[in-house]
Amino acid sequence: MLVAKLFHLLGLTIWVGGMFFAHMALRPALAVLHPEQRLVLMASVLGNFFIWVWIAIALVLGSGLHLMALMGGHAPPYVHAMAGIGIVMMLIFGHIFFAPFRRLKLYASQQDWDRASRALGQIRRLVGINLCLGLLTIALGALGPLMA
């Protein structure tokens, strides 16, 4: 159980921490770059980060399902809430990866800066939503046992 909890915490730290850094620190700092430079850089940064998000999802999903199985069908409500929110986050990420991120890479490679900028804007909004959901999930994990 301890190894599963460790994997769970590592996965969510990589994912949520990465979103927090990208959304709250990297994105504002890139305002000094020309739009073309910013779009190419973000396409590259996100490509690298998204590899880690896939790994984090595998860690969080696998360990989370294992931990719920160990509860033998008696998981408290906060655990079900965390699982539900986590599934929504994974679906949002899947959409980001297969739709606006794919468009960002394509349009940046074609130097279609207007379309690339719109794709990055959509990614920013969806990452913002996922970041809020991730922070809520962490709060549930931290506070849920105290309320159960």
Side-chain angles (χ1 to χ4, degrees):
M1 186 173 208
L2 288 176
V3 173
K5 282 186 179 182
L6 174 64
F7 286 162
H8 204 72
L9 290 173
L10 286 173
L12 72 91
T13 300
I14 291 166
W15 191 5
V16 178
M19 287 190 297
F20 188 88
F21 170 77
H23 198 70
M24 304 303 288
L26 178 62
R27 186 184 59 83
L30 294 179
V32 300
L33 298 178
H34 292 288
E36 298 83 12
Q37 295 170 315
R38 184 172 52 247
L39 292 164
V40 170
L41 180 63
M42 283 304 293
S44 178
V45 167
L46 292 174
N48 292 327
F49 175 57
F50 287 168
I51 293 167
W52 286 101
V53 174
W54 285 115
I55 294 167
I57 285 173
L59 288 172
V60 171
L61 186 59
S63 61
L65 291 173
H66 178 71
L67 290 167
M68 287 181 77
L70 291 176
M71 294 176 187
H74 302 299
Y78 77 91
V79 171
H80 289 285
M82 289 188 332
I85 294 169
I87 297 294
V88 170
M89 290 176 66
M90 291 172 204
L91 291 170
I92 291 171
F93 172 72
H95 173 71
I96 291 169
F97 186 81
F98 291 110
F101 178 60
R102 181 177 285 176
R103 289 192 301 271
L104 171 63
K105 292 188 305 182
L106 173 67
Y107 297 143
S109 71
Q110 295 174 345
Q111 298 183 355
D112 187 340
W113 306 121
D114 184 52
R115 285 178 155 170
S117 181
R118 282 184 284 179
L120 184 59
Q122 186 179 17
I123 292 168
R124 180 190 56 79
R125 286 186 295 279
L126 292 170
V127 167
I129 292 168
N130 252 7
L131 176 58
C132 291
L133 291 173
L135 294 172
L136 173 61
T137 305
I138 291 170
L140 285 170
L143 301 176
L146 302 175
M147 295 185 262

